């Protein structure tokens, strides 16, 4: 044995090489996950989910296929989480059992992770390890350094991995907010220092690569909201992502200024606002917050509701409020509903439906099209160029985006730093950097795994649960054809089953199902009947209930609602 340094078959010393393997986030928005492996050490960066396209019936979440990790299992020494967005931490409960070692993140990120694991009944033990910007930790044979970046939520980190083959910088999600609400600025200095030290490869967020200029600070929405607050005759209802804590802070401050009480509406909103307040990321002046159940006890013009559902998710607060089916919050014509979030591609139809329902309540709708009530958390062209020019890496790999954003980001890198070699990669490519250069050297399995029902948070492993349901109780596909205008069932629903075993005494159940469904649909409020998204949810719940009650079965139910 030669020992270190390793030698090749000719006896020459083998220069160390480092592999970068994206498993998600290159070629799509979401499910960000990437592995960096060098010698005996591999480090995972992020474990995110993606929200499914509407064609994926019954699927709630999409996570990366990580069978490739099996080959690295013994080498994976830790997971680094850049920040607390779902597309970076959402798959944590599926991933935590696939490696040993610590999970690094900032305190806010880890608080969100801890809650997620708890919902899935997983005890992380002492694996959650809090880090702060400029911390450097030893992970196996790598040194992992954390750098502060700015984005739409607090406590975001970029990562610099110091490996035997060189430094790899991963930006995480970022924009360059020079006046962040919490005063914690982007660590441009350290980026510059790393650049002069020499960086082997830069992996950078391409989400907004197709926008020119600068994205703008979180503060740029203040004027738009001031106009809303100074003119709204009734309640102000703002839908945004619950994790957008800066947006929440800005709105809470504005409520104080305009003497309105604030109610957090929706489970996610209540949870994250509590966590953020407890950890000191959200400051709520005493006496200003009210419970959602108290909203109706205050004059409409004194209330601000901050709620979930900006993407039109059927079970979230705003879509329920929109169809007048929320326990505590009712809309009236004086109210103003503000959509303060980007519509994630694929959700346009559900959001439009929610807006239609709100319009039927008579309330006024304000979105980014009317006023500046939303600003992106991702850097535009000039910010992306600035980071490239600070780092001037040997190799540049655009990450986080569909292929066209990656390609545009790649072109910027060539402009900014002609000496840099750009490598375009997709999920599953093995990028190898060594003394001879950098290239796509190999491929591993990569793809998507579809998850159903994870929003209930009741079951530890959704994949297994689905398989169990399918294997044990089969599949039921109710096909309902509706008149989109009247909300009436056009023809008797068809029930397709596969692998469904029912005792002879339950056979009558199958015969009764179409009629049962027609009745359940007829009982639904008109607005729910004319909304395929909501109707699907009702059909699913109803069939699950009937099968459980009358046959003791829990088949997987995937409703198909067609409009004519
Ligand atoms: Zn993010
Ligand atoms: Zn992201």
């Amino acid at each position: 044995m030669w020992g270190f340094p390793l030698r090749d078959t000719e006896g020459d010393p083998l220069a160390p090489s480092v592999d970068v393997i994206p498993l998600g986030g290159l070629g799509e928005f979401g499910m960000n996950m990437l592995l960096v492996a060098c010698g005996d050490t591999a480090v995972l960066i992020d474990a995110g989910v993606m929200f499914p396209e509407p064609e994926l019936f019954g699927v709630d979440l999409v996570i990366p296929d990580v069978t490739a990790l099996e080959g690295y299992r013994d080498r994976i020494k830790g997971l680094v989480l850049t920040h607390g967005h779902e597309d970076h931490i959402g798959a944590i409960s599926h991933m935590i059992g696939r490696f040993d070692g610590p999970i690094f993140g900032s305190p806010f990120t880890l608080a969100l992770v801890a809650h997620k694991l708890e919902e899935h009944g997983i005890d992380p033990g002492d694996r959650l390890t809090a880090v702060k910007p400029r911390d450097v930790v030893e992970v196996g044979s790598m040194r992992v350094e954390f750098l502060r970046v700015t984005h739409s939520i607090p406590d975001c980190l970029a990562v610099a991995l110091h490996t035997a083959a060189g430094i790899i910088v991963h930006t995480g999600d970022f924009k360059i907010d020079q006046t962040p609400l919490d005063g914690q600025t982007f660590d441009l200095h350290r980026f510059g220092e790393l650049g002069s030290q020499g960086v082997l490869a830069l992996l950078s967020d391409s989400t907004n690569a197709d926008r020119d200029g600068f994205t703008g600070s979180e503060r740029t929405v203040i004027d738009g909201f001031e106009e809303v607050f100074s003119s709204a005759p009734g309640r102000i209802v703002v839908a945004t992502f619950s994790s957008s804590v800066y947006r929440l802070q800005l709105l809470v401050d504005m409520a104080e200024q305009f003497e309105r009480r604030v109610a957090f509406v929706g489970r996610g909103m209540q949870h994250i606002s509590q966590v953020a307040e407890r950890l000191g990321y959200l400051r709520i002046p005493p006496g200003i917050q009210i419970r959602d159940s108290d909203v109706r006890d205050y004059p409409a013009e004194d209330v601000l509701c901050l709620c979930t559902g900006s993407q039109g998710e059927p079970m979230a607060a705003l879509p329920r409020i929109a169809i007048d089916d929320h326990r505590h919050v009712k809309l009236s014509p004086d109210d103003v509903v503000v959509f303060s979030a980007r519509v994630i591609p694929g959700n346009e139809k559900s959001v439009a439906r929610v807006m239609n329902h709100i319009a039927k309540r008579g309330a006024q709708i304000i979105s980014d099209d009317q006023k500046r009530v939303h600003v992106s958390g991702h850097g535009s062209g000039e910010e992306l160029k600035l980071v490239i020019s600070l780092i001037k890496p040997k190799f540049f790999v655009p990450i986080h985006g569909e292929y066209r954003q990656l390609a545009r980001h790649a072109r910027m890198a060539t402009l900014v730093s002609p000496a840099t070699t750009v490598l375009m990669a997709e999920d599953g490519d093995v990028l190898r950097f060594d003394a001879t250069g950098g290239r796509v050297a190999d491929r591993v399995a990569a793809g998507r795994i579809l998850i159903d029902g994870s929003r209930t948070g009741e079951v530890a492993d959704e994949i297994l649960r689905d398989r169990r349901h399918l294997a044990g109780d089969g599949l039921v596909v109710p096909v309902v054809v509706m008149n989109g205008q009247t909300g009436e069932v056009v023809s008797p629903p068809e029930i397709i089953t596969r692998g469904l075993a029912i005792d002879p005494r339950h056979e009558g159940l199958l015969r009764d199902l179409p009629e049962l469904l027609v009745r359940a649909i007829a009982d639904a409020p008109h607005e729910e009947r004319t909304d395929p998204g909501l109707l699907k949810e009702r059909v699913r719940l109803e069939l699950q209930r009937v099968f459980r009650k009358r046959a003791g079965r829990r088949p997987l139910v995937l409703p198909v609602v067609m409009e004519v």
Side-chain angles (χ1 to χ4, degrees), residues 41-361:
T41 300
V43 170
L44 273 168
I45 301 177
D46 288 335
V49 293
M50 185 168 86
F51 296 99
E53 294 100 19
E55 305 88 80
L56 296 174
F57 296 112
V59 170
D60 288 328
L61 289 178
V62 182
I63 66 170
D65 177 352
V66 289
T67 39
L69 292 185
E70 286 307 313
Y72 292 87
R73 170 130 204 169
D74 298 336
R75 288 199 268 162
I76 300 176
K77 299 284 188 334
L79 164 65
V80 170
L81 299 171
T82 57
H83 66 291
H85 274 149
E86 285 295 312
D87 56 324
H88 299 259
I89 66 165
I92 185 78
S93 55
H94 302 273
M95 235 34 82
I96 190 166
R98 294 178 174 269
F99 69 98
D100 305 309
I103 297 167
F104 300 99
S106 61
F108 185 57
T109 306
L110 292 185
L112 301 179
V113 166
H115 175 73
K116 200 168 273 298
L117 291 173
E118 196 185 312
E119 272 190 334
H120 286 79
I122 299 170
D123 176 9
D126 57 2
R127 294 176 68 185
L128 300 186
T129 309
V131 291
K132 49 184 196 311
R134 298 235 176 171
D135 275 358
V136 181
V137 294
E138 307 272 341
V139 184
S141 60
M142 288 185 203
R143 278 185 308 124
V144 180
E145 177 182 357
F146 301 92
L147 306 143
R148 183 180 300 283
V149 293
T150 46
H151 183 40
S152 51
I153 73 172
D155 243 5
C156 296
L157 299 168
V159 198
L161 301 168
H162 299 258
T163 76
I167 302 172
I168 311 272
V169 174
H170 182 300
T171 62
D173 285 357
F174 75 93
K175 67 175 173 182
I176 300 176
D177 189 337
Q178 308 210 60
T179 52
L181 284 168
D182 56 8
Q184 305 288 345
T185 49
F186 194 112
D187 196 349
L188 292 166
H189 300 96
R190 187 60 194 145
F191 270 76
E193 279 172 20
L194 284 168
S196 33
Q197 224 173 302
V199 168
L200 176 62
L202 169 66
L203 320 176
S204 183
D205 176 15
S206 315
T207 306
N208 277 351
D210 40 21
R211 297 194 193 174
D212 290 338
F214 287 90
T215 293
S217 166
E218 285 295 305
R219 289 180 198 271
T220 53
V221 299
I222 289 178
D223 290 351
F225 274 111
E226 267 177 357
E227 287 173 28
V228 174
F229 273 75
S230 50
S231 64
R235 247 176 239 119
I236 299 173
V237 176
V238 180
T240 189
F241 287 111
S242 53
S243 58
S244 298
V245 174
Y246 292 136
R247 193 71 42 86
L248 303 185
Q249 182 68 66
L250 197 140
L251 289 163
V252 166
D253 291 347
M254 208 163 281
E256 187 189 24
Q257 186 191 335
F258 286 87
E259 296 177 343
R260 283 178 185 256
R261 307 295 176 106
V262 181
F264 295 95
V265 187
R267 224 163 51 101
M269 197 55 91
Q270 286 165 352
H271 167 68
I272 294 195
S273 60
Q274 274 166 20
V275 171
E277 195 187 9
R278 176 163 51 80
L279 295 176
Y281 295 99
L282 180 63
R283 191 194 59 89
I284 304 177
I288 187 173
Q289 189 179 349
I290 58 173
R291 285 200 308 233
D292 57 352
S293 52
D294 294 337
V295 164
R296 68 187 98 170
D297 300 335
Y298 287 84
E301 68 273 19
D302 291 347
V303 175
L304 165 68
C305 295
L306 299 178
C307 56
T308 52
S310 64
Q311 303 302 308
E313 316 91 302
M315 301 313 281
L318 186 64
R320 302 319 299 182
I321 294 172
I323 57 164
D324 208 17
D325 186 36
H326 193 274
R327 272 190 304 160
H328 306 304
V329 183
K330 308 274 173 215
L331 285 179
S332 67
D334 281 344
D335 297 343
V336 177
V337 179
V338 184
F339 285 78
S340 179
R342 172 179 86 108
V343 178
I344 295 176
N347 293 342
E348 294 87 352
K349 273 190 183 163
S350 351
V351 172
R353 276 203 300 265
V354 171
M355 287 185 174
N356 287 331
H357 291 302
I358 294 168
K360 285 180 193 168
R361 309 265 85 77

